[in-house]
Amino acid sequence: MQSLKNEINELNEKIEQAGEQERLKILSFNVDEILFSFTDNHDKKHSITCNIFEGYPEQAPLWCTASDDHILNSIIDKLNTLGRSITAGTQILVNELCAAFNLPTNLDLCNGAGSCSTTHTNDTDSFEDADSIISDDLSDTDVLPDEQLMETMDSEEKTDLESMKPEELASLEKIRKSIRKGALGYGSVLATDRIMKELKEIYKSDGCKTGVYTVAINNDNLYVWDVYLKKVDPDSPLMHDIMKLAAPAPKHIHLAINFSASFPF
């Protein structure tokens, strides 16, 4: 655990020392996740999360983003496939992003530290006593204040966050915790990342906001959704079919969606 804290602290220090010219910034960090922000060549900010599992470094972190930018998503997919350490992954991330968006970077995270290897050695620390080792400079609540975090987001990201219902945000957070603990027990890194993006987009959709339909996660299983269609155009063919099968019309239509472990392929 101490090695993990040292790695995150060192990573944060190096990115801070790089100065304002660097496009990649750390917004918040703790022993469970690191939240990055990358500013592209059009000055649009993209949020990127590095989820850290209890089995790190043997278990590689999970990188994900809510951005719909295809360049960023392809880089995230590549990063998850490589299975590198946090530091090595961050170096790959910034190199790939800056190259893709034709931006310069002088950020060197691997100079002589040995932290850019695929795995780490940890001779003295045990991950079993993670809860008992909390350093002064990095704790589970070592994050930026909410006001500062909101200031780093663009207007679109703020609107997306504020538009979600409390129960939807709670559901996403519960799933994210399960992902960090490696407790999903099914699926793949790429499928989990993609389904999380789809779920966020649905929560932000007009149909969900106006109550046309709702989506619930079945027994906290991200791969099984319960969709309830609550409003149907009375003149639509669907409503005509419903009335033939059941009168009066039911309060809602229940749809069960099961995602495969290889989603979206």
Side-chain angles (χ1 to χ4, degrees):
M1 175 57 70
Q2 192 60 49
S3 296
L4 170 61
K5 293 175 182 179
N6 291 341
E7 181 179 2
I8 298 175
N9 277 322
E10 183 178 354
L11 176 67
N12 184 56
E13 289 173 2
K14 287 183 177 180
I15 291 179
E16 285 185 342
Q17 291 170 2
E20 291 299 321
Q21 71 274 13
E22 282 298 335
R23 297 292 183 127
L24 187 73
K25 303 294 181 185
I26 291 181
L27 303 182
S28 64
F29 59 92
N30 55 47
V31 293
D32 292 322
E33 68 177 13
I34 305 173
L35 179 61
F36 296 89
S37 176
F38 177 78
T39 306
D40 64 23
N41 52 353
H42 298 294
D43 290 331
K44 180 179 180 180
K45 290 182 171 60
H46 304 273
S47 295
I48 304 162
T49 303
C50 175
N51 295 292
I52 308 167
F53 299 105
E54 292 182 0
Y56 182 82
E58 285 75 17
Q59 185 176 8
L62 173 67
W63 297 81
C64 56
T65 178
S67 173
D68 57 1
D69 186 275
H70 71 279
I71 295 177
L72 177 55
N73 277 280
S74 65
I75 293 173
I76 292 295
D77 289 345
K78 175 181 178 181
L79 199 52
N80 283 325
T81 302
L82 291 173
R84 296 300 182 91
S85 67
I86 297 169
T87 303
T90 305
Q91 184 70 69
I92 294 171
L93 179 68
V94 69
N95 289 348
E96 294 281 344
L97 285 171
C98 288
F101 288 101
N102 296 314
L103 293 168
T105 179
N106 295 314
L107 189 61
D108 181 9
L109 302 174
C110 305
N111 52 341
S115 57
C116 281
S117 59
T118 303
T119 59
H120 298 291
T121 57
N122 191 3
D123 299 329
T124 57
D125 298 316
S126 170
F127 285 91
E128 294 178 356
D129 59 354
D131 293 334
S132 63
I133 306 176
I134 303 294
S135 65
D136 294 335
D137 54 358
L138 179 60
S139 70
D140 287 347
T141 56
D142 191 0
V143 297
L144 294 176
D146 291 342
E147 293 80 3
Q148 287 179 263
L149 184 58
M150 290 292 285
E151 287 176 3
T152 63
M153 297 181 180
D154 59 26
S155 58
E156 183 179 351
E157 289 174 314
K158 290 179 182 178
T159 301
D160 288 343
L161 184 63
E162 293 168 351
S163 66
M164 291 188 191
K165 300 174 183 177
E167 59 268 25
E168 294 169 348
L169 290 172
S171 178
L172 289 174
E173 179 60 23
K174 194 171 184 179
I175 294 169
R176 287 173 62 245
K177 287 182 178 179
S178 295
I179 293 173
R180 291 198 296 267
K181 293 178 181 178
L184 287 181
Y186 178 75
S188 64
V189 169
L190 297 182
T192 297
D193 185 29
R194 179 61 179 270
I195 295 171
M196 278 291 287
K197 293 173 188 173
E198 298 286 352
L199 182 59
K200 290 177 183 178
E201 288 302 313
I202 287 176
Y203 282 159
K204 294 185 293 184
S205 67
D206 291 337
C208 195
K209 293 176 184 177
T210 57
V212 174
Y213 54 81
T214 61
V215 177
I217 304 303
N218 190 307
N219 293 325
D220 298 326
N221 185 350
L222 179 63
Y223 286 75
V224 182
W225 294 6
D226 288 316
V227 180
Y228 297 92
L229 182 60
K230 297 184 175 182
K231 296 180 182 179
V232 179
D233 184 349
D235 298 323
S236 67
L238 176 59
M239 179 56 78
H240 291 164
D241 289 341
I242 291 173
M243 295 304 294
K244 290 178 181 179
L245 296 173
K251 293 182 179 179
H252 63 257
I253 300 173
H254 177 207
L255 305 172
I257 300 178
N258 293 272
F259 295 92
S260 70
S262 59
F263 181 83
F265 304 106

